Coordinates of all heavy atoms in Angstrom, one line a residue:
M71 N 108.1 66.4 106.2 CA 108.1 67.8 106.1 C 106.6 68.3 106.3 O 105.7 67.7 105.8 CB 108.5 68.2 104.7 CG 108.4 69.7 104.5 SD 108.8 70.3 102.8 CE 110.3 69.5 102.4
T72 N 106.5 69.3 107.1 CA 105.2 69.9 107.4 C 104.9 71.1 106.5 O 105.8 71.8 106.1 CB 105.0 70.3 108.8 OG1 106.0 71.3 109.1 CG2 105.2 69.1 109.8
M73 N 103.7 71.3 106.2 CA 103.3 72.4 105.3 C 103.4 73.7 106.2 O 103.0 73.8 107.3 CB 101.8 72.3 104.9 CG 101.3 73.4 104.0 SD 99.6 73.0 103.5 CE 99.1 74.6 102.9
P74 N 104.0 74.8 105.6 CA 104.2 76.0 106.3 C 102.8 76.6 106.5 O 101.9 76.6 105.7 CB 105.0 76.9 105.4 CG 104.9 76.3 104.1 CD 104.6 74.8 104.2
N75 N 102.6 77.3 107.7 CA 101.3 77.9 108.0 C 101.3 79.3 107.4 O 102.3 79.8 106.9 CB 100.9 77.9 109.5 CG 101.9 78.7 110.3 OD1 102.3 79.8 109.9 ND2 102.3 78.2 111.4
L76 N 100.1 79.9 107.4 CA 100.0 81.3 106.8 C 100.9 82.3 107.4 O 101.4 83.2 106.8 CB 98.5 81.7 106.8 CG 97.5 80.8 106.1 CD1 96.1 81.3 106.3 CD2 97.9 80.8 104.6
D77 N 101.0 82.2 108.8 CA 101.9 83.2 109.5 C 103.3 83.0 109.0 O 104.0 84.0 108.8 CB 101.8 83.0 111.0 CG 100.5 83.5 111.5 OD1 99.8 84.3 110.9 OD2 100.1 83.0 112.6
Q78 N 103.8 81.8 108.8 CA 105.1 81.6 108.3 C 105.3 82.2 106.9 O 106.3 82.8 106.6 CB 105.5 80.1 108.4 CG 105.6 79.5 109.7 CD 105.6 78.0 109.7 OE1 105.0 77.4 108.9 NE2 106.4 77.5 110.7
T79 N 104.4 81.9 106.1 CA 104.4 82.4 104.7 C 104.5 83.9 104.7 O 105.3 84.6 104.0 CB 103.3 81.9 103.8 OG1 103.4 80.5 103.7 CG2 103.3 82.5 102.5
E80 N 103.6 84.6 105.5 CA 103.6 86.0 105.6 C 104.9 86.6 106.1 O 105.4 87.6 105.5 CB 102.4 86.4 106.4 CG 102.1 87.9 106.4 CD 100.9 88.3 107.2 OE1 100.3 87.5 107.9 OE2 100.4 89.5 107.0
G81 N 105.4 85.9 107.1 CA 106.7 86.4 107.6 C 107.9 86.3 106.6 O 108.7 87.2 106.5
I82 N 107.9 85.2 105.9 CA 108.9 85.0 104.9 C 108.7 86.0 103.8 O 109.7 86.6 103.2 CB 108.9 83.5 104.4 CG1 109.4 82.6 105.5 CG2 109.8 83.4 103.2 CD1 109.3 81.2 105.2
W83 N 107.5 86.2 103.4 CA 107.2 87.2 102.3 C 107.8 88.6 102.7 O 108.5 89.2 102.0 CB 105.7 87.4 102.1 CG 105.4 88.4 101.1 CD1 105.2 89.8 101.3 CD2 105.2 88.2 99.7 NE1 105.0 90.4 100.2 CE2 105.0 89.5 99.1 CE3 105.3 87.1 98.9 CZ2 104.8 89.7 97.8 CZ3 105.1 87.3 97.5 CH2 104.9 88.6 97.0
I84 N 107.5 89.0 104.0 CA 108.0 90.3 104.4 C 109.5 90.4 104.4 O 110.1 91.3 104.0 CB 107.4 90.6 105.8 CG1 105.9 90.8 105.8 CG2 108.1 91.8 106.5 CD1 105.2 90.8 107.1
G85 N 110.1 89.3 104.9 CA 111.6 89.2 104.9 C 112.2 89.3 103.5 O 113.2 90.0 103.3
R86 N 111.6 88.5 102.6 CA 112.2 88.4 101.3 C 111.9 89.6 100.4 O 112.7 90.1 99.6 CB 111.8 87.2 100.6 CG 112.3 85.9 101.2 CD 111.9 84.7 100.4 NE 112.4 83.4 100.9 CZ 112.1 82.2 100.5 NH1 111.3 82.1 99.4 NH2 112.6 81.2 101.1
A87 N 110.7 90.2 100.6 CA 110.3 91.3 99.7 C 110.7 92.6 100.3 O 110.7 93.7 99.6 CB 108.8 91.3 99.5
S88 N 111.1 92.7 101.5 CA 111.5 93.9 102.2 C 110.6 95.1 102.1 O 111.0 96.2 102.2 CB 112.9 94.3 101.6 OG 113.8 93.3 101.8
D89 N 109.3 94.8 102.0 CA 108.2 95.8 102.0 C 108.5 96.9 100.9 O 108.3 98.1 101.2 CB 108.0 96.4 103.4 CG 106.7 97.1 103.5 OD1 105.7 96.7 102.7 OD2 106.5 98.0 104.3
Q90 N 109.1 96.5 99.8 CA 109.5 97.4 98.8 C 108.7 97.2 97.5 O 109.0 96.2 96.8 CB 111.0 97.3 98.5 CG 111.9 97.6 99.7 CD 111.8 99.1 100.1 OE1 111.8 100.0 99.2 NE2 111.7 99.3 101.3
G91 N 107.8 98.0 97.1 CA 107.1 97.9 95.8 C 106.3 96.7 95.6 O 105.7 96.2 96.6
F92 N 106.3 96.2 94.4 CA 105.5 95.0 94.0 C 106.4 93.9 93.6 O 107.5 94.1 93.0 CB 104.6 95.4 92.9 CG 103.7 96.6 93.3 CD1 104.0 97.9 92.9 CD2 102.5 96.3 94.0 CE1 103.2 98.9 93.3 CE2 101.7 97.4 94.3 CZ 102.0 98.7 94.0
H93 N 105.9 92.7 93.8 CA 106.7 91.5 93.5 C 105.7 90.4 93.0 O 104.6 90.4 93.4 CB 107.5 90.9 94.7 CG 108.5 91.9 95.2 ND1 109.7 92.0 94.7 CD2 108.4 92.8 96.2 CE1 110.4 92.9 95.4 NE2 109.6 93.4 96.3
F94 N 106.3 89.5 92.1 CA 105.5 88.4 91.7 C 105.7 87.3 92.8 O 106.8 87.2 93.3 CB 106.0 87.8 90.4 CG 105.7 88.7 89.2 CD1 106.7 89.6 88.7 CD2 104.5 88.6 88.6 CE1 106.4 90.3 87.6 CE2 104.2 89.4 87.5 CZ 105.1 90.3 87.0
V95 N 104.6 86.6 93.0 CA 104.7 85.5 94.0 C 105.9 84.5 93.7 O 106.6 84.2 94.5 CB 103.4 84.7 94.1 CG1 103.5 83.5 94.9 CG2 102.3 85.6 94.7
Q96 N 106.0 84.2 92.4 CA 107.0 83.3 92.0 C 108.4 83.8 92.2 O 109.4 83.1 92.2 CB 106.8 82.9 90.5 CG 107.1 84.0 89.5 CD 106.6 83.7 88.2 OE1 105.5 83.1 88.0 NE2 107.4 84.0 87.2
D97 N 108.6 85.2 92.2 CA 109.9 85.8 92.5 C 110.2 85.7 94.0 O 111.4 85.6 94.3 CB 109.9 87.2 92.0 CG 109.9 87.3 90.5 OD1 110.2 86.3 89.8 OD2 109.6 88.4 90.0
V98 N 109.2 85.8 94.8 CA 109.5 85.7 96.3 C 109.6 84.3 96.7 O 110.4 84.0 97.6 CB 108.3 86.4 97.0 CG1 108.5 86.3 98.5 CG2 108.3 87.9 96.7
F99 N 108.9 83.4 96.1 CA 109.0 82.0 96.4 C 109.3 81.2 95.1 O 108.5 80.6 94.5 CB 107.7 81.4 97.0 CG 107.3 82.1 98.3 CD1 106.4 83.0 98.4 CD2 108.0 81.7 99.4 CE1 106.1 83.6 99.6 CE2 107.8 82.3 100.7 CZ 106.8 83.3 100.8
P100 N 110.6 81.3 94.6 CA 111.0 80.8 93.3 C 111.3 79.3 93.2 O 111.3 78.8 92.1 CB 112.2 81.6 93.0 CG 112.9 81.8 94.3 CD 111.7 82.0 95.3
G101 N 111.5 78.7 94.3 CA 111.9 77.3 94.2 C 110.9 76.3 93.7 O 109.7 76.6 93.6
D102 N 111.4 75.2 93.3 CA 110.5 74.1 92.8 C 110.3 73.1 93.9 O 109.7 72.0 93.6 CB 111.2 73.4 91.6 CG 111.2 74.3 90.3 OD1 110.2 75.1 90.2 OD2 112.1 74.2 89.5
T103 N 110.7 73.4 95.1 CA 110.5 72.4 96.2 C 109.0 72.4 96.6 O 108.3 73.4 96.3 CB 111.3 72.8 97.4 OG1 110.9 74.0 97.9 CG2 112.8 72.8 97.0
Q104 N 108.6 71.4 97.2 CA 107.2 71.3 97.7 C 106.9 72.4 98.7 O 105.9 73.0 98.7 CB 107.0 69.9 98.4 CG 105.6 69.7 98.7 CD 105.3 68.2 99.2 OE1 106.2 67.6 99.7 NE2 104.1 67.7 99.0
R105 N 107.9 72.8 99.5 CA 107.7 73.8 100.5 C 107.5 75.2 99.8 O 106.6 75.9 100.2 CB 109.0 73.9 101.4 CG 108.8 74.8 102.6 CD 109.8 74.5 103.7 NE 109.5 75.1 104.9 CZ 108.6 74.7 105.8 NH1 108.0 73.6 105.6 NH2 108.4 75.3 106.9
E106 N 108.2 75.5 98.8 CA 108.0 76.7 98.1 C 106.6 76.7 97.4 O 106.0 77.8 97.3 CB 109.1 77.0 97.0 CG 110.5 77.3 97.6 CD 110.6 78.7 98.2 OE1 110.6 79.7 97.4 OE2 110.7 78.8 99.4
Q107 N 106.2 75.6 96.9 CA 104.9 75.5 96.3 C 103.8 75.7 97.3 O 102.8 76.4 97.0 CB 104.7 74.1 95.6 CG 105.6 73.9 94.4 CD 105.6 72.5 93.9 OE1 104.9 71.6 94.4 NE2 106.4 72.2 92.9
W108 N 104.0 75.2 98.5 CA 103.0 75.5 99.6 C 103.0 76.9 99.9 O 101.9 77.5 100.2 CB 103.4 74.6 100.8 CG 103.0 73.2 100.8 CD1 102.0 72.7 100.1 CD2 103.6 72.1 101.4 NE1 101.9 71.3 100.3 CE2 102.9 70.9 101.1 CE3 104.8 72.0 102.3 CZ2 103.3 69.7 101.6 CZ3 105.1 70.8 102.7 CH2 104.4 69.6 102.4
H109 N 104.1 77.6 100.0 CA 104.2 79.0 100.2 C 103.4 79.8 99.2 O 102.6 80.7 99.5 CB 105.6 79.6 100.3 CG 106.3 79.3 101.6 ND1 105.8 79.7 102.8 CD2 107.4 78.7 101.9 CE1 106.6 79.4 103.8 NE2 107.6 78.7 103.3
R110 N 103.6 79.4 97.9 CA 102.8 80.1 96.8 C 101.3 79.8 97.0 O 100.5 80.8 96.8 CB 103.3 79.6 95.4 CG 104.7 80.1 95.1 CD 105.1 79.9 93.7 NE 105.2 78.5 93.3 CZ 106.4 77.8 93.4 NH1 107.5 78.4 93.8 NH2 106.4 76.5 93.0
A111 N 100.9 78.6 97.4 CA 99.5 78.4 97.6 C 99.0 79.2 98.8 O 97.9 79.7 98.8 CB 99.3 76.9 97.9
N112 N 99.8 79.3 99.8 CA 99.4 80.1 101.0 C 99.2 81.6 100.6 O 98.4 82.3 101.1 CB 100.5 80.0 102.1 CG 100.4 78.8 102.9 OD1 99.4 78.0 102.8 ND2 101.4 78.5 103.7
C113 N 100.0 82.1 99.6 CA 99.9 83.5 99.2 C 98.5 83.7 98.6 O 97.9 84.7 98.8 CB 100.9 83.8 98.1 SG 102.6 84.1 98.8
Q114 N 98.0 82.7 97.9 CA 96.6 82.8 97.3 C 95.6 82.9 98.4 O 94.6 83.7 98.3 CB 96.3 81.6 96.5 CG 97.2 81.4 95.3 CD 97.2 82.5 94.3 OE1 96.2 83.1 94.1 NE2 98.3 82.8 93.7
I115 N 95.8 82.2 99.5 CA 94.9 82.3 100.7 C 95.0 83.6 101.3 O 94.0 84.3 101.7 CB 95.1 81.1 101.7 CG1 94.9 79.8 101.0 CG2 94.3 81.3 103.0 CD1 95.4 78.6 101.8
L116 N 96.2 84.1 101.5 CA 96.5 85.4 102.1 C 95.8 86.5 101.3 O 95.3 87.5 101.8 CB 98.0 85.7 102.3 CG 98.6 84.8 103.4 CD1 100.1 84.9 103.3 CD2 98.1 85.2 104.8
I117 N 95.9 86.4 100.0 CA 95.3 87.4 99.1 C 93.7 87.3 99.3 O 93.1 88.3 99.4 CB 95.6 87.1 97.6 CG1 97.1 87.5 97.4 CG2 94.7 87.9 96.7 CD1 97.6 86.9 96.1
A118 N 93.2 86.1 99.3 CA 91.7 86.0 99.5 C 91.2 86.5 100.8 O 90.1 87.1 100.9 CB 91.3 84.5 99.3
R119 N 92.1 86.4 101.8 CA 91.7 87.0 103.1 C 92.0 88.4 103.3 O 91.6 89.0 104.3 CB 92.5 86.2 104.2 CG 92.1 84.8 104.4 CD 92.9 84.2 105.6 NE 92.4 82.9 105.9 CZ 92.8 82.2 106.9 NH1 93.8 82.7 107.7 NH2 92.3 81.0 107.1
G120 N 92.6 89.0 102.3 CA 92.9 90.4 102.4 C 94.2 90.8 103.2 O 94.4 91.9 103.5
Q121 N 95.0 89.8 103.5 CA 96.2 90.0 104.3 C 97.4 90.3 103.3 O 98.4 90.8 103.8 CB 96.5 88.8 105.1 CG 95.5 88.6 106.3 CD 95.8 87.3 107.0 OE1 95.1 86.3 106.7 NE2 96.7 87.2 107.9
L122 N 97.3 89.9 102.1 CA 98.2 90.2 101.1 C 97.4 90.7 99.9 O 96.5 90.1 99.5 CB 99.0 88.9 100.7 CG 100.4 89.0 100.1 CD1 101.3 89.8 100.9 CD2 100.9 87.6 99.8
W123 N 97.8 91.8 99.3 CA 97.0 92.5 98.3 C 97.4 92.2 96.9 O 98.5 92.3 96.6 CB 97.0 94.0 98.5 CG 96.3 94.4 99.8 CD1 96.7 94.4 101.0 CD2 94.9 94.7 99.8 NE1 95.7 94.7 101.9 CE2 94.6 95.0 101.2 CE3 93.9 94.9 98.9 CZ2 93.3 95.3 101.6 CZ3 92.6 95.2 99.3 CH2 92.4 95.5 100.7
S124 N 96.4 91.8 96.1 CA 96.6 91.6 94.7 C 96.3 92.9 94.0 O 95.3 93.5 94.2 CB 95.7 90.5 94.2 OG 95.7 90.4 92.8
C125 N 97.3 93.4 93.2 CA 97.1 94.6 92.6 C 96.7 94.4 91.1 O 97.6 94.1 90.3 CB 98.4 95.4 92.6 SG 98.8 95.9 94.3
T126 N 95.4 94.5 90.8 CA 94.9 94.4 89.5 C 95.2 93.0 88.9 O 95.1 92.8 87.7 CB 95.4 95.5 88.5 OG1 95.5 96.7 89.3 CG2 94.5 95.7 87.4
C127 N 95.6 92.1 89.7 CA 95.9 90.7 89.3 C 96.8 90.7 88.0 O 96.5 90.0 87.0 CB 94.6 89.9 89.0 SG 93.7 89.6 90.5
W128 N 97.9 91.4 88.0 CA 98.9 91.3 86.9 C 99.3 89.8 86.9 O 99.7 89.2 87.9 CB 100.1 92.2 87.2 CG 99.7 93.6 87.2 CD1 99.4 94.3 88.3 CD2 99.7 94.5 86.1 NE1 99.2 95.6 88.0 CE2 99.4 95.8 86.6 CE3 100.0 94.4 84.8 CZ2 99.3 96.9 85.8 CZ3 99.9 95.5 84.0 CH2 99.5 96.7 84.5
L129 N 99.4 89.3 85.7 CA 99.8 87.9 85.5 C 101.2 87.8 84.8 O 101.5 88.5 83.9 CB 98.8 87.1 84.7 CG 97.4 87.0 85.4 CD1 96.5 86.2 84.4 CD2 97.5 86.2 86.7
R130 N 101.9 86.9 85.3 CA 103.2 86.5 84.7 C 103.3 85.0 84.9 O 103.5 84.5 86.0 CB 104.4 87.2 85.4 CG 105.7 86.8 84.8 CD 106.8 87.6 85.4 NE 108.0 86.8 85.4 CZ 109.1 87.0 86.2 NH1 109.0 88.0 87.0 NH2 110.1 86.3 86.1
N131 N 103.2 84.3 83.8 CA 103.2 82.8 83.9 C 102.3 82.3 84.9 O 102.6 81.4 85.7 CB 104.6 82.3 84.2 CG 105.6 82.7 83.1 OD1 105.2 82.8 81.9 ND2 106.8 83.0 83.4
T132 N 101.1 82.8 85.0 CA 100.0 82.5 85.9 C 100.3 82.8 87.4 O 99.6 82.3 88.2 CB 99.5 81.0 85.7 OG1 100.6 80.2 86.2 CG2 99.2 80.7 84.3
S133 N 101.3 83.6 87.6 CA 101.5 84.0 89.0 C 101.1 85.4 89.2 O 101.3 86.3 88.4 CB 103.0 83.9 89.3 OG 103.4 82.5 89.3
L134 N 100.5 85.6 90.4 CA 100.0 87.0 90.7 C 101.1 87.9 91.0 O 102.1 87.6 91.7 CB 99.0 86.9 91.8 CG 97.6 86.3 91.5 CD1 96.8 86.2 92.8 CD2 96.9 87.2 90.5
F135 N 100.9 89.2 90.6 CA 101.8 90.3 90.9 C 101.2 91.0 92.1 O 100.0 91.5 92.0 CB 101.9 91.2 89.7 CG 102.8 92.4 89.8 CD1 104.1 92.2 90.0 CD2 102.3 93.6 89.6 CE1 105.0 93.2 90.0 CE2 103.1 94.7 89.6 CZ 104.5 94.5 89.8
I136 N 101.8 91.0 93.2 CA 101.2 91.6 94.4 C 102.0 92.5 95.2 O 103.2 92.6 95.1 CB 100.7 90.4 95.4 CG1 101.8 89.6 95.8 CG2 99.6 89.6 94.7 CD1 101.5 88.5 96.7
S137 N 101.4 93.4 95.9 CA 102.0 94.4 96.7 C 102.7 93.7 97.9 O 102.2 92.8 98.5 CB 101.0 95.4 97.2 OG 101.5 96.2 98.2
T138 N 103.9 94.3 98.2 CA 104.6 93.8 99.4 C 104.2 94.5 100.6 O 104.7 94.2 101.7 CB 106.1 93.9 99.2 OG1 106.4 95.3 99.0 CG2 106.6 93.1 98.0
S139 N 103.4 95.5 100.5 CA 103.1 96.4 101.7 C 102.1 95.7 102.6 O 102.0 96.1 103.8 CB 102.4 97.7 101.2 OG 101.1 97.4 100.7
L140 N 101.4 94.6 102.2 CA 100.5 93.9 103.0 C 99.3 94.8 103.4 O 98.5 94.4 104.2 CB 101.1 93.3 104.3 CG 102.2 92.3 104.0 CD1 102.8 91.8 105.3 CD2 101.7 91.1 103.2
S141 N 99.2 96.0 102.9 CA 98.2 96.9 103.2 C 97.4 97.5 102.0 O 96.6 98.3 102.2 CB 98.7 98.1 104.1 OG 99.6 98.8 103.3
G142 N 97.8 97.1 100.9 CA 97.1 97.6 99.7 C 98.0 98.2 98.6 O 99.2 98.3 98.8
C143 N 97.4 98.5 97.5 CA 98.1 99.1 96.4 C 98.1 100.6 96.4 O 97.0 101.2 96.7 CB 97.5 98.5 95.1 SG 97.5 96.7 95.1
T144 N 99.1 101.2 96.0 CA 99.2 102.7 95.9 C 99.4 103.1 94.5 O 99.8 102.3 93.7 CB 100.3 103.2 96.8 OG1 101.5 102.7 96.4 CG2 100.0 103.0 98.3

């Protein structure tokens, strides 16, 4: 199995979150599989790059609460 790249993670995020409101990373990538864990790690990189926005870093079981808009928090 290969690790998903950032573009794949971003595309899946958009598809699963439907660009509606805010979601926890763990809700968008809920599985315990290695692939889902890689997607969650990729979300951290996307947040650091400013491609996925962290909104005040709300925490739920150490997972970030982030905007699905990919353009910032409103």
Side-chain angles (χ1 to χ4, degrees):
M71 177 187 309
T72 60
M73 182 176 163
N75 65 42
L76 297 176
D77 290 336
Q78 291 170 323
T79 296
E80 189 173 12
I82 292 170
W83 177 274
I84 292 167
R86 291 182 181 179
S88 302
D89 201 25
Q90 300 292 317
F92 301 96
H93 298 277
F94 290 98
V95 171
Q96 69 193 40
D97 291 340
V98 176
F99 297 105
D102 289 330
T103 66
Q104 189 173 25
R105 190 163 193 79
E106 291 286 290
Q107 292 171 3
W108 282 331
H109 280 303
R110 289 192 294 270
N112 281 349
C113 285
Q114 300 298 325
I115 296 168
L116 290 168
I117 290 167
R119 289 183 174 187
Q121 291 173 261
L122 200 60
W123 288 86
S124 172
C125 297
T126 322
C127 293
W128 296 89
L129 295 177
R130 176 177 152 197
N131 298 328
T132 69
S133 293
L134 287 173
F135 184 60
I136 59 181
S137 168
T138 60
S139 70
L140 300 174
S141 62
C143 304
T144 57

